[in-house]
Amino acid sequence: MRKNLIAGNWKMNATHLETIQMVQKLSYRLDYADYQRVDVVVCPPFTALRSAQTVIESDHLQIRLGAQNVYWEDKGAYTGEIAPGMLAKLSVSYVIVGHSERRQLFGETDADVNRKVKAVLGAGMTPILCVGETEEERESGVTEAKVGGQVHAGLEGLTGEQIAGLVVAYEPIWAIGTGRTASDDDAGAMAAFVRATIADIADEASESTRILYGGSMNPGNVAGLMAKRDIDGGLVGGASLDPDTFASVIRYWV
Ligand code: PGA
């Protein structure tokens, strides 16, 4: 059985002070039953991770911490980059890797993404590997070729055990931050396609890998998406910035 996972990707929003308030407010709105059903993750900016860690540990919260990016080297002359070990030391459990904004705005390649996935695993954390097609790719009928290629490249060289433990987020780029969501059927079909692609690489692992949907997920559409067999959770951007709204996404079955 795969446990659901809902992760808030705060992107470049929230100072460390705002983060403390957001984590605390979110925690007030969740209870034991929520954490039983869903692994709840917040991914604030790097500058807020330490503060988030402190609140989570001092208040004994079951919210887990994620980072939005990482570099693959352990240390060295890489001005401005953050090493996996630095994140692990802050009790970061998950790292978003290959988000479409990183790929499109900052030129991350499939090879970079694969190095990052391996580095995250090497530091004992769980990658959330993001894949997804642009609107033009969808319209020209190459969605599966694009997403399948990203999955293959991202998982290159991993063991079946590593693949079983990781998280893949299917995020159609045209749905990110646009208010347009993939239909439940389209999102479910693409999640199934991602799982089938993983099965080609590591058959026994594919039923364990958790697959998230991302792209304008909100309290109104989450239940329909979560009803799909192969969707095990969400990567939530805009709707994760308000604790009330994010809690409603997490409590989608209530
Ligand atoms: P969105 O972002 O929910 O604001 O569309 C999702 C994401 O980019 O992960």
Side-chain angles (χ1 to χ4, degrees), residues 190-227:
M190 281 308 296
F193 171 77
V194 168
R195 197 175 304 287
T197 305
I198 295 170
D200 288 342
I201 304 165
D203 192 17
E204 65 302 344
S206 66
E207 282 300 316
S208 303
T209 308
R210 290 185 286 183
I211 299 175
L212 313 183
Y213 168 79
S216 301
M217 192 183 247
N218 63 45
N221 60 29
V222 58
L225 291 160
M226 293 297 291

Side-chain angles (χ1 to χ4, degrees), residues 2 17 21 42 48 64 118 122 152 162 164 193 196 200 217 230 238 254:
R2 300 182 296 266
L17 295 173
Q21 292 186 335
V42 295
R64 293 287 162 260
K118 287 174 177 160
H152 274 279
Q162 288 174 322
F193 171 77
D200 288 342
M217 192 183 247
D230 288 299
V254 177

Side-chain angles (χ1 to χ4, degrees), residues 1-228:
M1 268 306 287
R2 300 182 296 266
K3 188 170 179 194
N4 291 328
L5 187 158
I6 295 185
N9 173 12
W10 293 359
K11 309 192 180 183
M12 199 174 72
N13 296 288
T15 65
H16 74 286
L17 295 173
E18 290 164 339
T19 293
I20 292 169
Q21 292 186 335
M22 287 160 73
V23 170
Q24 282 178 327
K25 280 188 185 159
L26 179 63
S27 75
Y28 299 151
R29 285 154 182 76
L30 300 178
D31 59 28
Y32 178 77
D34 299 315
Y35 299 111
Q36 291 295 104
R37 282 192 180 239
V38 180
D39 285 338
V40 177
V41 181
V42 295
C43 307
F46 287 134
T47 47
L49 287 172
R50 173 66 176 153
S51 305
Q53 177 203 19
T54 304
V55 188
I56 288 169
E57 287 179 0
S58 60
D59 293 357
H60 306 288
L61 306 182
Q62 293 189 58
I63 295 170
R64 293 287 162 260
L65 205 48
Q68 299 174 19
N69 187 24
V70 69
Y71 194 57
W72 56 79
E73 295 289 350
D74 287 343
K75 61 179 172 183
Y78 305 102
T79 302
E81 294 296 323
I82 301 290
M86 298 172 182
L87 299 177
K89 207 68 179 165
L90 290 168
S91 309
V92 167
S93 307
Y94 297 88
V95 183
I96 299 171
V97 175
H99 189 279
S100 61
E101 287 153 14
R102 301 286 333 157
R103 294 178 189 260
Q104 292 196 310
L105 302 175
F106 302 100
E108 280 188 17
T109 65
D110 277 337
D112 295 340
V113 170
N114 179 247
R115 287 188 193 99
K116 291 183 179 196
V117 166
K118 287 174 177 160
V120 169
L121 289 166
M125 301 176 290
T126 301
I128 301 177
L129 167 65
C130 299
V131 298
E133 81 287 358
T134 64
E135 181 147 43
E136 299 74 58
E137 287 163 344
R138 174 158 284 263
E139 277 165 8
S140 55
V142 297
T143 297
E144 292 194 351
K146 168 78 177 292
V147 171
Q150 288 180 324
V151 171
H152 274 279
L155 304 187
E156 171 86 44
L158 302 192
T159 65
E161 199 184 328
Q162 288 174 322
I163 292 173
L166 65 75
V167 180
V168 178
Y170 166 65
E171 300 202 298
I173 294 167
W174 46 270
I176 294 178
T178 58
R180 289 171 61 198
T181 318
S183 70
D184 298 345
D185 286 347
D186 284 350
M190 281 308 296
F193 171 77
V194 168
R195 197 175 304 287
T197 305
I198 295 170
D200 288 342
I201 304 165
D203 192 17
E204 65 302 344
S206 66
E207 282 300 316
S208 303
T209 308
R210 290 185 286 183
I211 299 175
L212 313 183
Y213 168 79
S216 301
M217 192 183 247
N218 63 45
N221 60 29
V222 58
L225 291 160
M226 293 297 291
K228 295 297 173 185

